[in-house]
Amino acid sequence: MDYVALREKPRPFLALTSLQVPEFDDLLTDFAPAWERYHRWHTLEGKRRAFVAHRERPNAVLAGSEVKLFFLLTYLKNNSLQQHQAASFGISQARVSQLSTVLLAVLNQVLARRGLLPVRDGGELAQRLAPHPEPVFAYDGVERGVPRNQDGEAQAEEYSGKKKPTA
């Protein structure tokens, strides 16, 4: 994928990354220094470098922090196979695995500093939502079957009649 070309097309860019170009640029202001700091002192395998890396290799396929962030966001948004991501960006599947692991850790640090990580605890979610002016929120969830009461009369009272279980 060509980051520079897609950046000029707002709709495909949004479809691939879930971010508008200005939102991407805003996130990049924190991601780029965080990535460069990590890369300076660590390898893609997570090991501490013997010598500080002062700059990226000139022949890097994913050259620049903006391309790396674009790579990671398209990977996360589309949940593609690593082999597909590798073919899209002209790298190996092993490199996709290495990069996605390291870049995701850096992105999570950036999002944590911005206070944008998802809330995983119900109590903390209630605290965050309490001051919100709108008391009703949209919830995107998965429909699941509900265990029914074994007693026939109780089951008849509980049954809404809306859906019948599929075989």
Side-chain angles (χ1 to χ4, degrees):
M1 276 189 237
D2 185 2
Y3 163 74
V4 175
L6 285 166
R7 185 178 167 79
E8 301 302 319
K9 300 174 184 172
R11 292 187 77 197
F13 192 87
L14 176 63
L16 289 169
T17 65
S18 293
L19 295 176
Q20 301 281 351
V21 174
E23 294 169 327
F24 180 88
D25 291 341
D26 181 53
L27 182 58
L28 186 61
T29 61
D30 289 337
F31 180 82
W35 165 251
E36 289 161 11
R37 189 171 38 256
Y38 178 88
H39 180 260
R40 174 174 285 222
W41 297 102
H42 297 88
T43 65
L44 287 180
E45 293 80 25
K47 297 178 182 171
R48 189 122 173 117
R49 291 185 187 274
F51 301 99
V52 177
H54 294 288
R55 64 180 192 277
E56 193 172 60
R57 291 182 179 169
N59 63 347
V61 176
L62 298 178
S65 299
E66 64 280 354
V67 175
K68 287 177 183 63
L69 180 58
F70 178 74
F71 164 84
L72 181 63
L73 292 177
T74 58
Y75 180 71
L76 294 173
K77 164 75 190 283
N78 298 298
N79 197 22
S80 63
L81 296 171
Q82 288 184 351
Q83 194 63 45
H84 181 270
Q85 193 76 356
S88 297
F89 284 88
I91 58 178
S92 69
Q93 180 273 321
R95 181 64 70 178
V96 170
S97 180
Q98 286 178 324
L99 280 169
S100 61
T101 301
V102 172
L103 293 173
L104 184 57
V106 172
L107 180 61
N108 280 332
Q109 291 172 356
V110 169
L111 294 176
R113 279 196 300 270
R114 287 181 164 210
L116 296 175
L117 282 179
V119 177
R120 304 288 185 200
D121 177 72
E124 186 181 343
L125 178 61
Q127 287 176 345
R128 285 199 187 177
L129 295 180
H132 197 278
E134 186 66 39
V136 179
F137 299 93
Y139 176 73
D140 186 10
V142 176
E143 186 174 337
R144 294 185 181 96
V146 176
R148 299 288 178 206
N149 195 330
Q150 296 301 312
D151 179 36
E153 290 177 22
Q155 194 179 62
E157 289 178 24
E158 293 173 358
Y159 182 61
S160 68
K162 288 183 177 180
K163 297 209 177 197
K164 294 183 179 180
T166 58

